[in-house]
Amino acid sequence: MLLTIFVVLQFKDVESFKPFPTTVHVSITNNFTNSLQVDVHCKDNHDDFGNKTLKYKEVYSFSFKTTFLLPNKLYFCSVSWIHGFKYFVVYDQKRDDDDCEKECPWAINEYGPCKEKPGNVIECYQYNFYSFSFFHFTSM
């Protein structure tokens, strides 16, 4: 009983405390203008969901389980198109745990990714600079 109380008190917002891991479904919709085709590749340190080429309005999706006690799930996606190559953090458990309890919908465009939050609120971000340390490519 004391251990349970101690664990609950470690969280700043007790309402956001989730006693069990949940499954989160991430979806990314190609919303590039001029019907641009894009390549999307999502992964974290352990899971690689692969590359998918998306036509305008097509969706890339994947699912995973959140972690218990230590909110440390972190997924990145690279986005490449004829005029660019960028990446963004598609899921950060510390940032997204409350907004993406089960569904985490994104739309991507040339200017950055936008996440749909509860209440039909759209929050847009800038792409990050490309980092060679995260994505590793091998030549054939």
Side-chain angles (χ1 to χ4, degrees), residues 15-134:
E15 290 178 13
S16 69
F17 175 71
K18 294 175 182 79
F20 301 104
T22 58
T23 299
V24 175
H25 303 283
V26 173
S27 61
I28 302 164
T29 302
N30 175 3
N31 204 25
F32 276 64
T33 57
N34 299 322
S35 300
L36 278 177
Q37 184 171 285
V38 297
D39 288 324
V40 179
H41 184 185
C42 298
K43 64 188 281 186
D44 75 349
N45 288 337
H46 305 290
D47 299 312
D48 187 334
F49 297 105
N51 187 68
K52 184 172 180 184
T53 300
L54 300 178
K55 294 178 183 171
Y56 181 65
K57 294 296 182 186
E58 282 188 326
V59 178
Y60 177 108
S61 61
F62 62 92
S63 299
F64 59 90
K65 289 217 179 265
T66 58
T67 55
F68 174 63
L69 293 182
L70 298 174
N72 64 358
K73 283 291 185 178
L74 188 64
Y75 287 92
F76 297 86
C77 292
S78 67
V79 180
S80 60
W81 66 98
I82 194 165
H83 299 296
F85 184 93
K86 305 285 185 177
Y87 80 94
F88 68 101
V89 176
V90 70
Y91 186 83
D92 179 342
Q93 191 170 347
K94 291 177 186 172
R95 176 191 74 192
D96 298 320
D97 202 28
D98 291 333
D99 294 340
C100 299
E101 284 190 33
K102 293 183 181 178
E103 301 291 328
C104 201
W106 288 84
I108 54 173
N109 60 57
E110 297 93 331
Y111 308 106
C114 297
K115 179 174 68 169
E116 186 179 329
K117 297 171 72 168
N120 293 327
V121 174
I122 305 296
E123 185 171 33
C124 296
Y125 301 85
Q126 292 183 343
Y127 286 113
N128 303 94
F129 290 106
Y130 175 68
S131 170
F132 283 101
S133 63
F134 179 73

